Amino acid sequence: ERAGDTVELGACRIVGELVVPAGVTLHGVPGTIVEAPADGTAITLVPAASGTATTVSSLTVESHGTAGVVAHGAGLVALTTVVVEADAGVAVGLDGVEANLSDVRIVGPVTRETRDDVRWLRVTSAPASPGHGPTATCDCEPGARDGDRTCDSSGRWATITLTHGLFARGGALHAVRLSVTGLAAFGIVLEEVDADISASSVSEGLGVGLE
């Protein structure tokens, strides 16, 4: 595909890691679902240096691993009418890009009914690396897995979940009608970003809404 092209997806489920080239639009319809492989990223956007932004529109992303949608480097990207449902890692990660988000909904696993569960007391975004606990008082061996729990570097069990809804570092962010719900740690994190966000919300989560 070349800049300016549109790739149309039907009402189907696609499992795998998709890369959208610079300036290309990935457009779905009701029922289009892109599912990330285990410990992978569903959609990676290659920023457009100029002209039409690299765009994803009108689809749902399901992520159970590293990230739902990511973009890295100088250039333009856009998400329009996109739902990102994630239960691990980061839903949307932006690094150094100029991003336009409109009608984007990020949904994590924490709900009003489950927000008091003890599993949310200690959370992490990904499985821990194997290692050795720092003291003899460890609850577990770092790197061990038990279902949706991992033993972290301090030797304590932590729930693997979606810790960041939107993380943006550098560049610019323009968002309207952005909804972030169900986060276990951070809803939106902005680090040295020129940002304007309007008609948006962070709700029904735990931890910090906007940092």
Side-chain angles (χ1 to χ4, degrees):
E1 291 79 18
R2 297 173 297 177
D5 288 351
T6 296
V7 176
E8 302 279 354
L9 300 178
C12 61
R13 177 181 294 271
I14 300 171
V15 180
E17 297 183 292
L18 301 184
V19 177
V20 184
V24 171
T25 294
L26 185 67
H27 180 76
V29 297
T32 302
I33 299 173
V34 178
E35 180 181 349
D39 299 324
T41 297
I43 299 176
T44 298
L45 304 179
V46 179
S50 61
T52 303
T54 307
T55 302
V56 171
S57 66
S58 305
L59 55 77
T60 295
V61 175
E62 293 183 1
S63 176
H64 312 291
T66 304
V69 180
V70 299
H72 170 76
L76 308 174
V77 301
L79 300 178
T80 303
T81 316
V82 171
V83 177
V84 182
E85 299 175 351
D87 56 20
V90 177
V92 178
L94 307 171
D95 188 2
V97 302
E98 180 175 349
N100 288 282
L101 277 58
S102 62
D103 298 296
V104 172
R105 186 158 60 96
I106 296 171
V107 183
V110 179
T111 65
R112 187 172 299 178
E113 293 73 27
T114 65
R115 60 179 296 137
D116 293 329
D117 287 2
V118 296
R119 58 180 161 151
W120 308 127
L121 293 176
R122 193 176 186 86
V123 297
T124 184
S125 61
S129 300
H132 299 286
T135 70
T137 60
C138 293
D139 297 328
C140 50
E141 184 70 18
R145 287 289 302 270
D146 178 18
D148 63 353
R149 300 192 304 168
T150 184
C151 188
D152 65 19
S153 58
S154 69
R156 298 181 181 181
W157 289 109
T159 300
I160 302 171
T161 189
L162 182 68
T163 56
H164 294 71
L166 169 65
F167 178 84
R169 176 173 55 200
L173 171 68
H174 315 286
V176 60
R177 294 181 301 279
L178 168 64
S179 169
V180 182
T181 63
L183 276 295
F186 297 94
I188 299 173
V189 176
L190 306 177
E191 183 177 308
E192 299 183 347
V193 179
D194 181 5
D196 60 85
I197 302 174
S198 63
S200 300
S201 64
V202 180
S203 62
E204 295 190 16
L206 301 173
V208 178
L210 172 64
E211 180 179 81

